[in-house]
Amino acid sequence: MSDVSQSVTAGEPFELSQEECRVLLSAGLVGRVAVCTPLGPHIVPVNYSVVDDSVVVRTTPYSILGSHARGSVLALEVDQFDYERRHGWSVVARGRADLVTGADELEEVKARWQPHAWAAGSRNLFLRIRWSELTGRRLGAGWSPVDELPVHHVG
Amino acid sequence: MSDVSQSVTAGEPFELSQEECRVLLSAGLVGRVAVCTPLGPHIVPVNYSVVDDSVVVRTTPYSILGSHARGSVLALEVDQFDYERRHGWSVVARGRADLVTGADELEEVKARWQPHAWAAGSRNLFLRIRWSELTGRRLGAGWSPVDELPVHHVG
């Protein structure tokens, strides 16, 4: 693990359960996707939505993700750090990405997208990351990230 | 660019200047490092410190970063998103990482580390990412991320 546990937070890191990871991941709206390219890794902030055991992100054909993500393993990270209280959590979903192309699948993805109102357009690619690893940690004892979730999903 | 600009934030993305990127990067304490491994990318939350034109992170020899980062290109991302006002910013520094090993260099790094008090120990590796790219965007018009920086560096 990184140094976050040793320096910003005074506490030890604790592994989060699969269920806690899923709850935290599902409650978020913005994460960061890492993708490997021939010139090294890139990190891209993304809106995302959890659909079943996948994370779905939107991108454009000529972006970093549009160019390098299809068929590749990606990592999506969400986190929250409280500088005052020196604790936080981080969840990472890793898995291979493919394009959502079927009409039924697209309908399902769009129906679950948060917020519901977003601009349509021909640039929309939906990348689905079916995670094969879902891991997370919280930093600092005596609190629960799930209990302290902010309410971002307001429809 | 990702969908963050289209969905969570109503505004268009604006490129940040090199100076703005540097100020935002220098003001932060926690970022995420992406590293490529033979099994795909990983994202690791890290404490970091800016030293000259480098980002320095601490890690351990047997961590993901300790195993895969030395001599590789890394990407470190810092960001801040305001869900209420639907704007935010993200800055990414990319470059090759090496170990800080010289006694003088280590002294300089430790002197600039924030917060100053952190546990010493044989597990400490200092990785320096000399950035060859420093890019950033803000989302939403009519505000300045630099003006709205929270004060995290309290010594």
Side-chain angles (χ1 to χ4, degrees):
Chain A
M1 183 57 183
S2 72
D3 183 55
V4 167
S5 60
Q6 297 169 31
S7 175
V8 158
T9 66
E12 288 294 308
F14 296 89
E15 298 289 336
L16 297 172
S17 70
Q18 288 285 300
E19 181 56 25
E20 287 175 306
C21 288
R22 175 183 271 281
V23 169
L24 292 167
L25 187 67
S26 300
L29 290 176
V30 179
R32 301 106 194 146
V33 169
V35 58
C36 292
T37 77
L39 297 177
H42 281 261
I43 305 183
V44 182
V46 291
N47 274 137
Y48 71 91
S49 189
V50 173
V51 179
D52 303 325
D53 286 341
S54 300
V55 174
V56 178
V57 303
R58 290 171 65 209
T59 189
T60 61
Y62 305 108
S63 65
I64 292 285
L65 289 181
S67 303
H68 298 284
R70 289 178 244 188
S72 300
V73 172
L74 304 184
L76 179 135
E77 193 256 9
V78 294
D79 62 37
Q80 202 160 26
F81 295 104
D82 183 328
Y83 291 87
E84 301 279 327
R85 296 161 67 193
R86 300 195 169 190
H87 67 205
W89 58 265
S90 168
V91 169
V92 177
R94 295 181 70 244
R96 201 165 290 277
D98 61 1
L99 279 184
V100 180
T101 52
D104 290 352
E105 286 176 306
L106 275 173
E107 278 309 307
E108 186 185 359
V109 164
K110 291 180 181 178
R112 301 219 202 163
W113 196 265
Q114 294 274 7
H116 292 305
W118 46 269
S122 60
R123 298 188 314 153
N124 289 333
L125 283 187
F126 288 85
L127 269 175
R128 173 177 43 206
I129 307 166
R130 292 185 201 273
W131 66 72
S132 51
E133 281 178 39
L134 182 62
T135 55
R137 291 185 168 199
R138 71 178 156 87
L139 307 170
W143 71 291
S144 160
V146 172
D147 291 345
E148 297 193 6
L149 272 177
V151 180
H152 291 156
H153 282 212
V154 290
Chain B
M1 184 57 183
S2 72
D3 182 55
V4 166
S5 60
Q6 297 167 31
S7 176
V8 157
T9 67
E12 288 294 309
F14 297 88
E15 298 289 337
L16 297 173
S17 71
Q18 289 284 301
E19 182 55 26
E20 287 174 308
C21 289
R22 176 183 270 280
V23 169
L24 293 167
L25 187 66
S26 300
L29 290 175
V30 179
R32 301 104 193 148
V33 169
V35 59
C36 292
T37 78
L39 297 177
H42 281 261
I43 305 183
V44 182
V46 291
N47 275 137
Y48 71 92
S49 188
V50 173
V51 179
D52 302 325
D53 286 341
S54 300
V55 174
V56 178
V57 304
R58 289 170 65 209
T59 188
T60 61
Y62 304 109
S63 65
I64 292 285
L65 289 182
S67 303
H68 299 284
R70 289 178 245 189
S72 301
V73 173
L74 304 183
L76 179 135
E77 194 256 7
V78 294
D79 61 36
Q80 202 160 26
F81 295 104
D82 183 328
Y83 291 88
E84 301 279 327
R85 296 160 67 191
R86 299 195 171 191
H87 67 206
W89 58 266
S90 169
V91 169
V92 177
R94 295 181 71 244
R96 201 165 291 278
D98 61 1
L99 279 184
V100 180
T101 51
D104 290 352
E105 287 175 306
L106 275 173
E107 278 309 306
E108 186 186 359
V109 164
K110 290 179 182 180
R112 300 219 203 163
W113 196 266
Q114 294 275 5
H116 293 304
W118 47 268
S122 59
R123 297 188 314 153
N124 289 332
L125 284 187
F126 288 85
L127 269 175
R128 172 177 44 206
I129 307 167
R130 291 185 202 272
W131 65 73
S132 51
E133 281 178 39
L134 181 62
T135 56
R137 291 185 168 199
R138 71 178 157 87
L139 308 170
W143 71 291
S144 160
V146 172
D147 290 346
E148 298 192 5
L149 272 176
V151 180
H152 291 155
H153 282 212
V154 289

